[in-house]
Amino acid sequence: MTASFVTMAKPVGSFCNMRCKYCYYLNADNGEDFTNIRMPADLLEQYIRDYIASSAGDTVSFTWHGGEPTLAGLDFFEEAVRLQKKYLPKGKTCWNNIQTNGLLLDEKWCSFLQREKFDIGVSIDGNRYVHDLYRVDAGDQGTYERVSKAVKLLKDHGILPDLLCTVTEDTARSARAVYQSLRSFHTGWIQFIPIVRYDENGKTTPDSVTPESYGRFLKEVFREWIRHDLGKTNVQIFAETALVLSGQKPNVCWFAETCGDVLITERDGSVYSCDHFVDRYHKLGNIRETSLAELASSPAQKAFGMRKKDVSERCKSCPYLFICSGGCPKDRDRETNVYYLCEGLYAYFEYAVPLLKQAMQLSREGKSSAEIMKTLIQTKETGK
């Protein structure tokens, strides 16, 4: 039995060696047992065997997330790779991705990751000031210097990590500086993740980026990118926008028409609907009793995924609905169903879509990235 889905494994659950001030997961309401920190060896084997058997296609994509997954130890991932090779049928391959804060990466880790061809995502919030404002260790000390060294160490081992940067209200005030700092690492790929959190009264927290600030941030970064870095640096939201404009399906779930294809497997084997819904209401079951394929195709998960299509009346009349599909359900208003960052996304689309279409047309005409950037620099709209 196979199904078209992926699952992110959390080998140490929400355990982390940092105390990021905007973290939504450290105190996730999943009732997890903190007696043992990492996924037991027998459960790891069952997870890998089950996931390989349940996966469609020739590539089985393993994503390791957290908390901080490196807290599971290098030996844990060495065993995971060994088990993948043990259970992988002929003709199939495994792809591994690990999302890390970088604090534990050293020569041994980097050598292993390079040897086993892991893709790496490193969380780093742009420049030193913004990063150290939010991303602190357990002693409340900034971590920018240590994370920067980890990125450079990965590069020394031939690994170009994806850089994941959150967008808070403070980040949005420093758009150009944040982007230029990330670009200076020359890793080739940057993701921006908006921070939207709510207090006990359902109001957004002060660190949450406002719709207006988010739109301004994306426009400022886009202007810098399309004038100077087209073809050299990939920014996820720009790449996804271009992908949809070209008639293809998006790769990221929050741009997709439906969701529910990315499940979470916790260190005790519990499976949840989504990374942003790791709570008792969205627990699908446990792989000790039910296969991943069955959980992924369960009525509860199908209903969860289809609810994303239930967009607001405002969305239905929006010319950009075909791109964003109404935004991530976690940040939709419970009464109106409007995506919290809607106005910001709209402002970004209004600015970026015409320029992306122009760039794509020039590319079809055989123009190089350098020629396209030169043309766009001369275009009045890029200076707005």
Side-chain angles (χ1 to χ4, degrees):
M1 180 179 183
T2 59
S4 179
F5 70 96
V6 296
T7 176
M8 293 197 300
K10 309 236 178 187
V12 296
S14 66
F15 275 97
C16 190
N17 51 356
M18 288 179 63
R19 296 295 181 268
C20 300
K21 296 176 183 178
Y22 48 62
C23 183
Y24 67 90
Y25 189 66
L26 193 62
N27 298 307
D29 180 24
N30 56 10
E32 65 179 344
D33 176 18
F34 289 95
T35 305
N36 298 301
I37 189 172
R38 75 179 188 181
M39 182 181 285
D42 67 315
L43 186 59
L44 173 65
E45 182 164 10
Q46 182 175 345
Y47 169 69
I48 289 175
R49 183 176 63 244
D50 181 1
Y51 190 31
I52 289 175
S54 298
S55 296
D58 295 330
T59 301
V60 186
S61 300
F62 283 88
T63 299
W64 307 94
H65 218 275
E68 175 48 41
T70 59
L71 287 173
L74 181 56
D75 62 318
F76 178 91
F77 288 95
E78 290 173 332
E79 177 65 5
V81 170
R82 186 190 71 80
L83 291 168
Q84 289 171 354
K85 294 175 180 177
K86 175 182 177 181
Y87 290 109
L88 196 67
K90 289 184 178 180
K92 285 197 172 188
T93 58
C94 275
W95 172 84
N96 283 284
N97 173 277
I98 187 168
Q99 177 59 39
T100 176
N101 60 37
L103 295 191
L104 294 181
L105 297 185
D106 57 16
E107 289 287 343
K108 287 185 178 180
W109 266 105
C110 290
S111 294
F112 164 77
L113 296 170
Q114 187 277 331
R115 182 174 65 252
E116 299 300 339
K117 298 180 174 59
F118 272 60
D119 278 354
I120 315 297
V122 176
S123 297
I124 182 168
D125 279 357
N127 58 16
R128 183 188 300 271
Y129 170 75
V130 177
H131 180 100
D132 284 348
L133 192 62
Y134 290 98
R135 298 190 64 81
V136 297
D137 61 19
D140 202 35
Q141 298 299 306
T143 59
Y144 181 82
E145 189 64 31
R146 284 172 280 175
V147 178
S148 296
K149 288 181 179 178
V151 172
K152 293 171 183 174
L153 186 60
L154 287 166
K155 290 183 65 180
D156 288 343
H157 285 76
I159 301 171
L160 294 178
D162 300 343
L163 303 183
L164 277 70
C165 174
T166 63
V167 183
T168 62
E169 189 66 10
D170 290 286
T171 315
R173 296 190 189 102
S174 308
R176 193 162 179 264
V178 163
Y179 173 69
Q180 289 179 342
S181 181
L182 293 169
R183 180 183 61 191
S184 69
F185 286 102
H186 301 291
T187 64
W189 186 263
I190 299 170
Q191 295 184 40
F192 290 111
I193 305 167
I195 292 296
V196 180
R197 299 192 304 127
Y198 304 90
D199 61 22
E200 61 275 9
N201 298 315
K203 303 295 184 181
T204 53
T205 56
D207 57 355
S208 297
V209 64
T210 66
E212 181 183 8
S213 296
Y214 185 55
R216 185 175 62 252
F217 174 87
L218 291 178
K219 287 169 64 177
E220 289 183 21
V221 172
F222 182 87
R223 183 184 302 117
E224 182 75 9
W225 170 78
I226 204 164
R227 288 167 63 95
H228 303 291
D229 299 316
L230 185 68
K232 295 183 288 185
T233 300
N234 285 303
V235 179
Q236 186 191 56
I237 190 170
F238 306 157
E240 289 296 309
T241 304
L243 191 67
V244 177
L245 289 175
S246 68
Q248 301 180 65
K249 291 185 178 181
N251 293 315
V252 296
C253 57
W254 69 280
F255 264 22
E257 187 178 13
T258 61
C259 55
D261 294 334
V262 184
L263 282 65
I264 299 300
T265 302
E266 277 286 353
R267 61 191 176 88
D268 66 351
S270 297
V271 178
Y272 297 85
S273 294
C274 168
D275 187 33
H276 293 286
F277 293 89
V278 180
D279 56 48
R280 65 195 68 190
Y281 307 107
H282 294 89
K283 182 176 179 178
L284 300 172
N286 192 293
I287 60 172
R288 289 195 184 276
E289 293 102 30
T290 312
S291 74
L292 281 166
E294 290 178 272
L295 294 172
S297 60
S298 66
Q301 186 63 1
K302 286 184 177 179
F304 172 81
M306 291 301 293
R307 280 197 292 271
K308 188 171 189 287
K309 296 184 71 172
D310 184 21
V311 298
S312 68
E313 290 302 316
R314 189 166 98 181
C315 284
K316 291 176 183 177
S317 62
C318 177
Y320 302 114
L321 176 62
F322 77 102
I323 303 178
C324 75
S325 298
C328 182
K330 85 175 181 70
D331 293 324
R332 289 183 183 177
D333 185 274
R334 293 183 180 180
E335 294 182 2
T336 66
N337 212 23
V338 172
Y339 180 51
Y340 173 72
L341 295 171
C342 175
E343 292 180 8
L345 271 185
Y346 188 93
Y348 154 67
F349 290 141
E350 281 283 279
Y351 178 74
V353 167
L355 292 168
L356 280 173
K357 286 182 175 179
Q358 185 180 357
M360 293 162 66
Q361 179 58 41
L362 291 170
S363 178
R364 286 192 291 269
E365 293 172 4
K367 303 294 185 181
S368 67
S369 294
E371 290 172 319
I372 294 171
M373 286 188 289
K374 183 178 179 180
T375 300
L376 293 178
I377 286 174
Q378 297 169 349
T379 299
K380 182 179 178 182
E381 284 77 6
T382 60
K384 287 184 179 178

